[in-house]
Amino acid sequence: MNICLSSRMAYDYTKNREERPDPVKADLKGNLPSWLQGTLLRNGPGIFSVGDTTYNHWFDGMALMHSFTFEDGEVIYRSRYLRGDTYKDNMAAKRIVVSEMGTMAYPDPGKNVISRVITFLNHTVPDFTDNCGNNFIRYGKDYYATSETNYIRKVDPATLETQDKVDYLKYLAVNLVTSHPHYDKDGTAYNMGTSIAEKGKTKYTLFKVPDTTAGDKANASPALKNLEVICTVPCRSLLSPSYYHSFGMTDNYFIFIEQPFKLDILKMATAYMRGVNWASCMKFCPEENTLIHLIDRKTGKAVGIKYYTEAMIVYHHVNAFEEDGHVIFDVIAYEDPSLYNMFYLNVLKEQSKTSVMSVPKCKRFALPVQTDKGIDVGDDMVKLQYTTASAVKEKEGKLLCQPEVLCDGVELPRINYDFNGKKYRFVYMTCVAMSAVATKIMKFDTETKERTEWREENCWPSEPVFIPRPNGEGEDDGVVLTTVINSNPGESGFILVLDAKSFKEVARAYVNAELHKDMHGYFIPKEE
């Protein structure tokens, strides 16, 4: 099933946005809960052209961070560009000189031969960008802007000022790292990255970064100094590692999906001289299966059962939990890689054409972890009554896993993170049923399959972020925050506060500044 995106939208994806580094008090309508104290950080692209050069893809735009601080019944807004090396080099040259995934940058024709040779070598073994415009992550006491390269940038969450540049490669041999880590109650962060041909091997590495906020202050920053490798997983294709954007975690297991959406390393090494971008070096192999790795957190070893399913592409895990000898995990899955192509700027700005992408589906998988001894080939090993997901035994100890589709036309899932890795009921998502761009958000009940939606004419809400009420009762006791692009005449954008139980509006705060579409966000409670 495919859906069409008519690009006739009021939002201009190609327009460079202005930063507002000085604090701006928002115009509040309604009453904020007194317990809502803290800062919502959000990140996304904001500059799409420099001089006479332009980015090809919306994801490539230079990172524009913004924040909403809730304090004593008021909302304060500010935004600031991430001033990393990429930003500084592009601005100094007055043209785009640092390559991004969807845009290959070439030197000014006036540059000398030596400069061109250096540029070529930097693209043969890519020195990736530090344009960290996808999300924010926390390691120890520090907060970082992140994308998926080996570089992250420390930022001041209060002022959004750019601070240290941190290279994962100084602590671990990984060239690509996800921007969606997990966190334990004690503050330990878990993440994973890909090592490209390190000592002749291409592998995936799971690692953890212990919390340092309560420890020795001298060793507190950067917390990556205390990084510990949990395990490595070899790639099934030496020169074509799987692309992944996130992974799952329960109390006892990690879930890693090795999907047939791959980076062709040899093609990436020659992309610059062939005049193509790195994104063109990603290949989807629909004839291949998707492997599901279930890794024991204590031993760092994969369980003995081999799980697989049909070809699919997953960007976002929703949640995972354990019950009655099973690991259950939910993901947003696509049939093909068309989502990425939807965000090329020439596609987004074409007014008269439509583009097609597959419908994203929220799928639930159930992995039996008990031994398959005594189970006949062809038998379904899933014994849970509340899901239609199956895991059929095949020869050689393999299990063919078929998911239950919980709902479709959804993306950017968020949950009450207190329930991360545990059995949960509610998930908050954007609705993208008719386009890759959300026009509404919803609360979804995974038990009853009930959908409760919020929408408003000519408004485009962002990823909905759940904030729990301190000492709250129940999984949905809290509020949901979403920033809203508002194209109604004479009205400004706003941050919307919804009661999570009823999904009804509690308050909104209009911002006297131009809000921009972004990707992901992170809420920092005031006590942190």
Side-chain angles (χ1 to χ4, degrees):
M1 178 182 178
N2 289 324
I3 57 179
C4 291
L5 164 61
S6 175
S7 298
R8 190 168 297 151
M9 297 178 182
Y11 188 78
D12 184 357
Y13 281 85
T14 65
K15 179 183 176 182
N16 289 346
R17 306 291 158 173
E18 291 186 10
E19 63 178 0
R20 291 291 296 270
D22 295 324
V24 177
K25 183 179 176 181
D27 181 15
L28 182 66
K29 306 296 183 184
N31 296 304
L32 295 173
S34 59
W35 56 263
L36 183 58
Q37 306 277 332
T39 298
L40 175 66
L41 303 176
R42 296 202 59 81
N43 203 351
I47 289 180
F48 306 96
S49 61
V50 183
D52 60 357
T53 58
T54 60
Y55 287 111
N56 297 327
H57 200 279
W58 186 70
F59 293 172
D60 296 342
M62 284 191 281
L64 177 57
M65 309 171 289
H66 55 166
S67 67
F68 299 82
T69 298
F70 297 83
E71 186 170 14
D72 300 329
E74 295 183 347
V75 181
I76 304 298
Y77 174 82
R78 58 164 31 103
S79 65
R80 194 185 293 267
Y81 275 103
L82 182 74
R83 283 168 167 76
D85 292 348
T86 296
Y87 178 95
K88 293 176 181 177
D89 290 348
N90 287 344
M91 291 307 182
K94 297 181 180 180
R95 58 184 284 116
I96 296 170
V97 294
V98 180
S99 295
E100 302 289 343
M101 196 67 185
T103 306
M104 192 64 78
Y106 292 91
D108 188 322
K111 293 288 186 181
N112 60 40
V113 174
I114 293 178
S115 295
R116 295 187 190 186
V117 171
I118 292 174
T119 302
F120 170 74
L121 293 175
N122 283 340
H123 285 80
T124 303
V125 182
D127 183 20
F128 289 119
T129 176
D130 70 342
N131 179 30
C132 304
N134 185 267
N135 203 357
F136 292 96
I137 60 177
R138 176 176 57 80
Y139 288 134
K141 67 180 180 64
D142 298 326
Y143 294 89
Y144 298 87
T146 177
S147 57
E148 294 179 316
T149 74
N150 55 293
Y151 293 118
I152 53 178
R153 294 296 309 220
K154 182 180 174 183
V155 297
D156 182 332
T159 65
L160 299 182
E161 292 176 319
T162 305
Q163 299 179 334
D164 301 338
K165 180 179 182 179
V166 176
D167 185 353
Y168 280 108
L169 286 169
K170 290 185 177 180
Y171 309 96
L172 182 68
V174 285
N175 306 92
L176 302 167
V177 183
T178 87
S179 56
H180 290 284
H182 287 279
Y183 305 95
D184 263 351
K185 293 291 186 183
D186 65 3
T188 298
Y190 299 83
N191 211 341
M192 68 180 298
T194 301
S195 302
I196 298 176
E198 193 261 336
K199 295 182 180 179
K201 296 181 180 180
T202 301
K203 60 188 178 183
Y204 314 106
T205 301
L206 273 155
F207 62 91
K208 68 178 181 179
V209 182
D211 184 27
T212 57
T213 55
D216 180 5
K217 295 297 183 182
N219 295 317
S221 184
L224 283 172
K225 291 190 297 186
N226 303 308
L227 181 150
E228 302 173 26
V229 173
I230 298 171
C231 69
T232 60
V233 178
C235 298
R236 59 172 162 176
S237 304
L238 178 62
L239 294 177
S240 299
S242 173
Y243 170 79
Y244 54 97
H245 187 68
S246 61
F247 62 101
M249 186 177 82
T250 69
D251 288 344
N252 296 294
Y253 298 97
F254 296 109
I255 302 101
F256 167 52
I257 297 175
E258 191 174 12
Q259 54 198 11
F261 188 33
K262 305 177 181 181
L263 299 167
D264 190 316
I265 303 303
L266 293 180
K267 285 187 176 180
M268 288 187 73
T270 60
Y272 181 80
M273 67 179 185
R274 291 187 292 114
V276 299
N277 61 28
W278 285 320
S280 69
C281 305
M282 299 180 71
K283 58 183 179 181
F284 179 55
C285 305
E287 71 283 358
E288 295 185 12
N289 294 320
T290 298
L291 304 184
I292 303 171
H293 300 278
L294 188 63
I295 299 163
D296 189 305
R297 285 179 59 178
K298 294 182 178 66
T299 65
K301 296 181 179 180
V303 302
I305 303 173
K306 297 184 182 299
Y307 308 94
Y308 76 97
T309 189
E310 298 171 349
M312 65 177 182
I313 294 179
V314 170
Y315 298 101
H316 297 115
H317 282 247
V318 181
N319 198 11
F321 58 93
E322 303 167 34
E323 187 169 43
D324 295 336
H326 301 75
V327 171
I328 299 94
F329 70 92
D330 301 337
V331 295
I332 308 298
Y334 293 80
E335 297 174 354
D336 57 46
S338 56
L339 174 69
Y340 184 85
N341 296 333
M342 300 296 295
F343 284 93
Y344 276 103
L345 292 177
N346 64 342
V347 174
L348 289 169
K349 69 183 179 181
E350 284 289 340
Q351 295 294 316
S352 60
K353 297 181 181 179
T354 59
S355 300
V356 178
M357 78 171 197
S358 63
V359 176
K361 298 177 181 178
C362 184
K363 294 184 176 182
R364 168 162 289 182
F365 288 86
L367 309 180
V369 294
Q370 70 271 24
T371 177
D372 62 353
K373 291 182 179 179
I375 305 296
D376 294 331
V377 171
D379 285 353
D380 181 6
M381 292 181 61
V382 176
K383 305 304 179 186
L384 302 172
Q385 298 300 312
Y386 58 81
T387 181
T388 59
S390 63
V392 176
K393 182 178 179 180
E394 296 191 338
K395 296 178 180 178
E396 302 173 353
K398 294 181 179 180
L399 290 186
L400 172 58
C401 302
Q402 296 290 1
E404 172 189 2
V405 177
L406 299 178
C407 60
D408 61 19
V410 292
E411 250 297 1
L412 302 179
R414 297 295 292 258
I415 63 169
N416 179 342
Y417 202 76
D418 290 341
F419 287 76
N420 187 57
K422 305 182 186 306
K423 190 171 184 179
Y424 78 114
R425 183 171 175 178
F426 303 110
V427 54
Y428 309 90
M429 298 179 277
T430 57
C431 300
V432 291
M434 294 307 295
S435 79
V437 181
T439 56
K440 54 187 176 181
I441 56 174
M442 79 167 185
K443 174 185 181 181
F444 181 72
D445 187 330
T446 62
E447 290 186 8
T448 66
K449 309 302 188 290
E450 179 183 1
R451 302 167 63 127
T452 308
E453 299 178 347
W454 179 91
R455 71 177 301 276
E456 196 164 296
E457 197 70 24
N458 300 318
C459 288
W460 291 271
S462 69
E463 165 196 62
V465 179
F466 177 88
I467 313 299
R469 182 169 69 89
N471 303 312
E473 299 178 2
E475 182 185 339
D476 58 351
D477 190 354
V479 297
V480 172
L481 306 179
T482 181
T483 58
V484 181
I485 304 295
N486 185 0
S487 65
N488 287 298
E491 297 183 12
S492 59
F494 55 94
I495 185 164
L496 179 70
V497 184
L498 300 175
D499 173 71
K501 282 186 180 292
S502 65
F503 222 55
K504 299 293 185 181
E505 180 173 337
V506 173
R508 64 175 63 187
Y510 288 95
V511 178
N512 186 24
E514 185 181 35
L515 299 185
H516 66 288
K517 291 198 71 67
D518 52 28
M519 296 188 187
H520 295 293
Y522 188 106
F523 185 79
I524 306 174
K526 185 177 180 179
E527 61 267 22
E528 292 185 19

